[in-house]
Each structure stands twice: as structure tokens, then as C-alpha cells.
Amino acid sequence: MENVANVVPPQRRDLPVAADYALTVRGLLALPSLAGAEVAAGAAGLDTVVRWVNVMEVPDILPWVKPNELLLTTGFPLRHGGQGGTFDPSVVARLVDGLAERGVSALGVKTGRYLDELPPDMLDTAERHGFPVLVLPRGVAFDEVMSEVFTQLVDRQTWALDVADRLHRTLTALVLGGGDLPQIAAEVAALFDTAVLICSPDGRVQTTGGAEANSAALAALPLFDPSGRFRTEQVHAGLQDAPDATGGQLAVARVIAGGTDHGLIAAYGPNGGLGPVTVQALERAATVAALAITKQLAVSAVESKFRGDFLRDALNGVAGPPELVTEHCAQLGWDVDRPLAVIVARLDESSGPASVAGRTPMDRLTAAWEQVLRARDRAVPVVGFTHELVALVPAEPESVQRTVAELVSSVAGDRGGGRRSFSTGVSRVIGSIADLAAAYEQAGTAVRVGRRTHGPGAVAHFDGLGVHRVLSLVSDPGELRAFAAEVLGPLGADTPDALDLRGTLQELLDRNCNVAETARSLHFHYNTLRYRITKLETMIGPFTSDANLRLDVALALRVVQMRGL
């Protein structure tokens, strides 16, 4: 997305100041009711998050505990957990083992009446797991502790909702005032001190935001393919650890509007610490991003219709004199006064769905080509029609093949996001817009013949079509099939023997019927190849001595190579 020139800089003073959302065991020790609590073991786990609080009343509590839970107990369940209700230190140690394995945040024990001190085995086990065991003040009431913990949890949840709501209102005002995706990404990145990325459903990056160090850390993640596509298939909505082994975290939210998937927004904290509040705020930001994208798509639809109609007229040679076409293109932001090659891309047949989340495969292909080309040159004409995409790419005759190969590779990426295969045709390089109609016809011929000759995903240049270009001019495919069947006879069948013999025949023709060279190329014994030649001449005639027959055979083999006849 592009920055809007007249956007007023965002007023970050309207946003809440980021704070520590998570309530940890260490934070609990600052509560009045737990001010006198002592950490008996497991101090390494004091930064574990607490989301629940419960009281242990029976020894067999393990089936009912939850992750991130603070468990409170007296010495009674611990004292009577052994066989026959007796005290068994090993049972208490196994209880700590089970609590740590289930993700319980900490165990608070009130000693005194039933248990004077905690057994060493229990404390050793807690220390080994980094599982905090707290000795509570004897006069503390559990309901007082639970009330204060719940109050802290509710306060933090209220603060998280306030952050998300105020961020949503600020971003909405920004978009309604003319802002776009770059401003949204910058706001979210500044609030949480993260790098923020907004991309299309298949991972084409729309914009990024955040401090330079954070953005560089995001770019270094193994979540981008060589074309720069963000690997959306490797992340999921919500909070997750980043695949960087340095403690970084990713928060991801889908950008969806009216049932249409517009991509995702992701926030990356190199040092972690994002928490649920980031996810909640990001979901609100995703809603606003969907509004901005919908607005931009509505404007683009009108502009694209106008541009597409004009380019179609220019491609068909009915847009007016070359000078007028060049001037009109300049008004549309296109530079066509330079050497150009016309590229035509068409989707290959597929059994997949006609559309994905409201976007047709042609829409997705057009968006990918636009993003790749405009990253190189914003003045390149790129228009998607109903059945094909057309681009006028600046190129020189000696470098056009390399340029097109790089473009196709970048657009195809690693085929993430459900993008379908497409075939590409390339015209000769033209030096004047007066030759545009002829170049468009060349590119159309190249993509059609290239797909027939090489199958789906072909990239064909008009100058490289050879005799296939002449064969493509035959309007009746049945006539071509009849010609091939007449010349090749049983050799034109799709049986393994016929395919093998056709390969030998093609190699012979490619080497001007030089038996010795062909035998070496195919790794055949000389006599074996002579035997095959005799068999071939029995089937199709004396092609080794009849030049006219050799020409017919060579053309027939080319026809057989062409698909879809």
C-alpha cells in the first residue's frame, strides 16, 4: 500500500502506555496478603504467569489442576496423602512432580497445625523443576489471597480491553482521515515496541513498521522465502514462539472483512513479552486494516477498470496514434517510451476451486505480478483481464530472457498460499509503442504454443518457438493430428515401445542421421542402433535417404509434442 501524502501524523498520546499485562508468581508476592510469604524452593520459576487460583483440599488433586494455576493448601492434604492416610514424603515429592508437569504456576502451603515444615524431598523436587513452593504466613486466610489475586487478574484484563478499544478507535480515526496500512503498522509497532508486518493471504508483504532493529530482526527470521514472501503457512493466529531460538514471540491476527480473507497482521517481539494483550489489540488492528484494504480495493477497482479498458484498446491497436497513446500512458503513471517486451500470463487448467475466500485465482495472480513488478519499477503497466494478465516490461533483447525468468520465479515463489500454476508468453522487444499490437499477438502466440509444447507452467519466448510457431497457424487441430498419424503410423501411439522408438528417431534427426554419433549419445551398441533404424524404416519409410520424408517426419514429431490438439 502507498503512503497518503496528506495524512496527518498519528497522535500517539491518545494511545495507552504499554504495561506489564501478565501476573507472575513474583508479582503475587507483592500483594498485601502474601507480603510475608517465603520462597522455600523453585525460585527459578518466579516469572511464571498466573491466570487462575484454586485451593487444594484433597491429596489426589492432579486430575483437576490447570496450567498457570496458583494452588493454595494447608498441610492437611500433604500430611494424609500416603497409604492409609499416613504421611509419606515421597508421595509429596511425586505430587510436586505432577504439578510441575501439568504447568501449575506455584504451590502455596500454610504450615503449622498439620505440618510444621516441608519435607526435604519435596523441596529438592521443586528446585529441580524450577517450581515455586511458597510458605504462606500462618495468619493468612485463603479467601483473602484469592480475592486479591482475582482482583489483579480482572484489573489486567480490563486494562487489556482498554488498550484494544482505544487502539481500535485511534486507528479507525486514522483510516477515516486518509491513513493507510503503513500508518496502521507504525501505530501498532510503536505501542508494543515490536516490528509489525501486514501481508496478503499468500504472504506478499504489503507493508512493515517498527524500529529499525526490530524490523531487521523480523526480516532475519526463517519465515521468508527467497522471493520475499512471508510463509503464512508456517504461522497461526494467536501468540506463538518465533522460530529463532532466541526467545522471540509472534502475535498473529487474520485480516478478514465480509468473509473475505485479506491476509494477516503479525507483530514480532525479538525479546518476547508480548502476551495476550498484544493479540487482543492486534485483532482490533486487523479489523481496521481490513477497512483500509477494502477502501483501497474499491478505489483500485475503478482505476483498474479505466486503465484496463485503455490498455486493451492499445493492445488491439485502436487507442489512437502512438504519440497519443504514450501521452495517455504517462498520465496513468506508465512509462512506455522505452524498449519493452509484452508478457502475457495465463492460468493453467486446475481442478482447484474457482476462487479462494472471495478472491479469484486471476485476482491473486494479478496482485502477485503487480507487487513484484512495482518493486522493480512503478511505471510498468500491469493489468489483469478476465483470462490473462498483460505486462509491458522494460527490457533489452540481450537480457529479456534473464529478466523474465527472474520475474516468473519471484511471482511463483514457492507456490505458497494456494497460488495456481500459470504459463507465460513473451514477445520480441519493441522500440516503439507503434509495434505494441503486434507484440501482444506474439506474446499470446508464445503462451499458447509454449503450453502445448511444454505443458503447464511453460515460459515461452516468441523467437524461441521455431517451427511450432508455423504449426500453431494451422486453424484445424484435426488436420495436424491426421498429418502426424499419416506420417508416423503406429509410431505415433502413446505406448511405451512407440515412445522409446520416437526418442531414438528424434535423436537421429537431431544428429543428421549420423549413426556413430547417435549410438554414442544414446549409449547403444552400433549394431543395436542399426537394428532400430531398420525397424523404424519398416514403419515409416526410408527416412535416412529421403530428405523430403525426413522433413515430414521431423514436422510430425513436433506435432506429437504439441499438447491439447
Side-chain angles (χ1 to χ4, degrees), residues 269-339:
N271 301 317
L274 298 186
V277 65
T278 310
V279 177
Q280 293 180 22
L282 214 58
E283 289 171 349
R284 299 292 188 92
T287 302
V288 180
L291 173 63
I293 292 174
T294 303
K295 180 188 69 172
Q296 195 276 339
L297 289 176
V299 174
S300 295
V302 177
E303 293 180 348
S304 296
K305 178 68 168 59
F306 178 72
R307 293 177 178 219
D309 289 346
F310 174 74
L311 185 59
R312 188 186 297 278
D313 288 344
L315 294 172
N316 292 326
V318 295
E323 300 80 10
L324 180 60
V325 173
T326 301
E327 181 182 351
H328 199 156
C329 285
Q331 293 173 357
L332 294 174
W334 295 339
D335 181 6
V336 297
D337 191 16
R338 50 183 171 171

Side-chain angles (χ1 to χ4, degrees), residues 280-439:
Q280 293 180 22
L282 214 58
E283 289 171 349
R284 299 292 188 92
T287 302
V288 180
L291 173 63
I293 292 174
T294 303
K295 180 188 69 172
Q296 195 276 339
L297 289 176
V299 174
S300 295
V302 177
E303 293 180 348
S304 296
K305 178 68 168 59
F306 178 72
R307 293 177 178 219
D309 289 346
F310 174 74
L311 185 59
R312 188 186 297 278
D313 288 344
L315 294 172
N316 292 326
V318 295
E323 300 80 10
L324 180 60
V325 173
T326 301
E327 181 182 351
H328 199 156
C329 285
Q331 293 173 357
L332 294 174
W334 295 339
D335 181 6
V336 297
D337 191 16
R338 50 183 171 171
L340 299 169
V342 177
I343 293 179
V344 172
R346 294 175 184 168
L347 288 167
D348 297 320
E349 292 184 2
S350 172
S351 58
S355 62
V356 178
R359 298 183 75 204
T360 67
M362 197 67 233
D363 291 338
R364 296 164 71 87
L365 179 66
T366 301
W369 273 95
E370 286 178 342
Q371 187 163 6
V372 170
L373 280 168
R374 287 176 181 169
R376 292 168 168 251
D377 188 336
R378 302 193 66 82
V380 173
V382 187
V383 174
F385 299 112
T386 305
H387 301 296
E388 66 183 15
L389 172 135
V390 179
L392 276 55
V393 178
E396 298 293 340
E398 61 273 10
S399 62
V400 63
Q401 291 195 12
R402 183 179 69 254
T403 299
V404 173
E406 292 173 354
L407 291 173
V408 171
S409 176
S410 296
V411 171
D414 62 0
R415 302 189 184 277
R419 202 160 41 253
R420 279 168 44 177
S421 169
F422 61 91
S423 297
T424 310
V426 188
S427 74
R428 292 171 175 154
V429 176
I430 59 174
S432 169
I433 200 67
D435 300 322
L436 180 60

Side-chain angles (χ1 to χ4, degrees), residues 31-324:
L31 298 179
S33 58
L34 295 177
E38 298 180 0
V39 181
L46 288 179
D47 292 321
T48 304
V49 174
V50 176
R51 294 194 177 96
W52 319 92
V53 60
N54 202 357
V55 176
M56 172 181 173
E57 297 178 340
V58 293
D60 55 341
I61 191 66
L62 291 181
W64 293 277
V65 298
K66 293 182 290 188
N68 298 112
E69 184 174 62
L70 169 65
L71 201 59
L72 304 175
T73 185
T74 64
F76 184 82
L78 303 179
R79 183 76 183 180
H80 298 84
Q83 187 174 5
T86 60
F87 177 61
D88 186 345
S90 64
V91 172
V92 179
R94 288 197 299 272
L95 171 65
V96 172
D97 262 327
L99 295 177
E101 290 172 359
R102 286 163 175 76
V104 174
S105 299
L107 175 66
V109 183
K110 186 163 63 172
T111 58
R113 180 177 178 184
Y114 301 104
L115 192 65
D116 291 332
E117 59 181 19
L118 301 179
D121 288 350
M122 172 187 181
L123 300 180
D124 291 343
T125 303
E127 194 67 33
R128 187 175 70 252
H129 286 291
F131 176 75
V133 173
L134 312 178
V135 178
L136 305 181
R138 297 193 177 188
V140 69
F142 285 169
D143 59 347
E144 183 181 353
V145 176
M146 295 177 70
S147 175
E148 289 187 354
V149 172
F150 279 130
T151 298
Q152 288 291 317
L153 293 173
V154 170
D155 286 347
R156 281 165 169 74
Q157 291 172 1
T158 301
W159 174 82
L161 292 174
D162 180 59
V163 169
D165 182 61
R166 292 170 64 184
L167 178 64
H168 182 268
R169 285 188 276 111
T170 299
L171 294 180
T172 301
L174 185 151
V175 171
L176 294 178
D180 214 330
L181 296 184
Q183 288 76 30
I184 293 175
E187 289 284 2
V188 178
L191 176 62
F192 294 106
D193 190 22
T194 61
V196 173
L197 171 148
I198 302 176
C199 67
S200 64
D202 56 355
R204 298 294 168 184
V205 178
Q206 307 285 341
T207 189
T208 58
E212 184 176 346
N214 291 337
S215 297
L218 172 62
L221 292 179
L223 289 174
F224 297 88
D225 69 15
S227 71
R229 188 185 71 84
F230 185 69
R231 302 180 191 272
T232 55
E233 65 275 12
Q234 294 185 9
V235 299
H236 58 82
L239 192 63
Q240 57 218 270
D241 292 333
D244 56 1
T246 60
Q249 284 184 306
L250 273 170
V252 178
R254 287 286 172 188
V255 181
I256 298 176
T260 300
D261 184 2
H262 292 295
L264 57 81
I265 178 171
Y268 172 63
N271 301 317
L274 298 186
V277 65
T278 310
V279 177
Q280 293 180 22
L282 214 58
E283 289 171 349
R284 299 292 188 92
T287 302
V288 180
L291 173 63
I293 292 174
T294 303
K295 180 188 69 172
Q296 195 276 339
L297 289 176
V299 174
S300 295
V302 177
E303 293 180 348
S304 296
K305 178 68 168 59
F306 178 72
R307 293 177 178 219
D309 289 346
F310 174 74
L311 185 59
R312 188 186 297 278
D313 288 344
L315 294 172
N316 292 326
V318 295
E323 300 80 10
L324 180 60

